[in-house]
Amino acid sequence: MVYQAKTFPLSNLEGISDQTLEMHFKLYEGYVKETNNLTEKLSAFLADGKVDQEEMPAYSELNRRLGFEYNGMVLHEYYFGNMTRGGGGDADGRSAFRAAAERSYGSYDIWKVDFVGVGKMRGVGWAICFQDPNTGSLSNHWVSLHEVGNVAGFHPVLVMDVWEHAFLLDYKPSERAKYIDAFFANVDWTAVDRRMDSDERAATDAGRRAQGGR
Ligand SMILES: [Fe+2]
């Protein structure tokens, strides 16, 4: 499998400069390239149908890097994909996301306090709101680097990059809170809702119809 870097129509965002976005797209393309490079190198080991004992150290190191490069690629796609010019505000009161956040955290505001809190954690990584496909519930998680802390099988629905490269051209390292405000000013809540489990969306839509709304 050879991955192609995606393009994202992002510019003129609130509080996140085009300069930052351009640099960030280049970094993302690096992850796509390295994912492809690693896959190609690993397939060369497998070409003779076995992994020899003397190949094992190099083969192991390349495999250990796979999680970093793959998640670096995929998480950036989720991150760019959940921002848009003219986005922001809070999740729509009638959205599947809002309903799930209220059910999971007691209130949308508490969900947001937790997500922002995770985003402010010291260290290099990501704040991610996942949906459990088995229960439909939401939970926020800190992911170190790109690969430590992802929950197997859970679906990312809102993804925020809090590596310093995401904001260092616009804010000081100590101003992560300002960057988090800027991130929320650009969230594409429609895209977030599209990521929600389709049963959840159907239930919310049915509820709206029953209330005579849409
Ligand atoms: Fe990043």
Side-chain angles (χ1 to χ4, degrees):
M1 175 72 202
V2 176
Y3 289 97
Q4 302 292 330
K6 296 179 176 166
T7 54
F8 299 89
L10 291 178
S11 60
N12 288 319
L13 294 182
E14 191 84 28
I16 298 175
S17 66
D18 287 356
Q19 199 189 1
T20 291
L21 289 169
E22 292 302 319
M23 181 213 60
H24 214 163
F25 292 146
K26 287 273 173 278
L27 277 175
Y28 154 67
E29 286 164 19
Y31 285 108
V32 178
K33 190 163 163 252
E34 285 308 309
T35 297
N36 289 332
N37 282 345
L38 276 181
T39 305
E40 193 182 328
K41 284 179 184 156
L42 284 164
S43 69
F45 279 95
L46 303 173
D48 61 359
K50 56 186 169 24
V51 180
D52 297 325
Q53 200 52 41
E54 66 271 18
E55 291 175 332
M56 210 54 197
Y59 175 80
S60 303
E61 179 53 27
L62 292 175
N63 266 307
R64 287 201 179 94
R65 285 169 51 194
L66 263 189
F68 179 78
E69 303 293 353
Y70 253 89
N71 281 295
M73 172 176 71
V74 170
L75 288 179
H76 280 103
E77 291 172 356
Y78 276 103
Y79 170 68
F80 296 132
N82 61 213
M83 291 194 290
T84 186
R85 182 170 36 174
D90 285 311
D92 187 287
R94 296 179 301 178
S95 63
F97 178 85
R98 182 102 177 198
E102 287 170 356
R103 206 173 57 243
S104 307
Y105 280 83
S107 78
Y108 172 83
D109 290 342
I110 294 296
W111 165 81
K112 188 170 175 180
V113 165
D114 185 56
F115 187 87
V116 170
V118 170
K120 287 179 179 169
M121 284 171 57
R122 290 168 65 77
V124 174
W126 299 78
I128 304 180
C129 177
F130 288 95
Q131 186 180 32
D132 177 347
N134 294 312
T135 65
S137 66
L138 300 180
S139 51
N140 299 321
H141 297 261
W142 169 260
V143 169
S144 291
L145 300 174
H146 303 308
E147 75 275 39
V148 183
N150 287 289
V151 186
F154 278 29
H155 301 154
V157 290
L158 181 65
V159 173
M160 178 169 66
D161 192 339
V162 288
W163 283 57
E164 285 174 357
H165 67 236
F167 60 89
L168 207 52
L169 298 179
D170 302 326
Y171 305 100
K172 296 188 182 81
S174 59
E175 294 178 326
R176 198 193 282 198
K178 285 188 184 172
Y179 159 70
I180 293 174
D181 284 345
F183 170 77
F184 268 97
N186 299 293
V187 170
D188 184 347
W189 289 110
T190 308
V192 171
D193 228 42
R194 273 201 302 269
R195 292 173 181 167
M196 295 290 290
D197 180 80
S198 53
D199 291 344
E200 188 94 21
R201 281 207 313 273
T204 311
D205 288 345
R208 279 182 206 167
R209 282 196 299 276
Q211 291 164 18
R214 56 173 300 280

